[in-house]
Amino acid sequence: DEPVTASAWHPASPMVATGTRSGRILLWRYPSASPSDWALNFVLPGREGSIEALSFHPTGRLLAAAASNRRILVTDLQTRGRLFDAPG
């Protein structure tokens, strides 16, 4: 288990994104308010640098992440493809 360094709530679905010190982004589904019901939906691979901030696009399709090494990432959550990966 890694410490959570950033988090963001999906604007329309029961989903939360968490970032880790290793640069991984985890997407969790929560069918109820009870944390014991939460399930890991998928993991976006890690990059260098701790994830410091996460933000969903208002439609919920895109997720932006900022890392401690000043890298900015934008991922399409439907395809899980990186749309933007800019070095800091």
Side-chain angles (χ1 to χ4, degrees):
D1 291 334
E2 291 183 77
V4 171
T5 55
S7 64
W9 296 94
H10 192 281
S13 297
M15 184 186 303
V16 65
T18 58
T20 67
R21 198 174 286 159
S22 70
R24 293 186 323 148
I25 299 170
L26 295 80
L27 280 289
W28 302 87
R29 285 226 172 260
Y30 57 96
S32 76
S34 173
S36 64
D37 291 338
W38 289 32
L40 184 60
N41 196 28
F42 63 90
V43 178
L44 299 172
R47 293 286 206 212
E48 293 177 16
S50 173
I51 299 298
E52 299 297 321
L54 292 166
S55 181
F56 283 99
H57 184 273
T59 65
R61 180 171 179 167
L62 305 178
L63 177 66
S68 61
N69 62 359
R70 302 170 72 179
R71 179 173 230 113
I72 302 295
L73 309 166
V74 178
T75 303
D76 182 320
L77 296 178
Q78 288 184 346
T79 65
R80 299 185 190 169
R82 291 269 163 88
L83 299 178
F84 184 76
D85 188 346

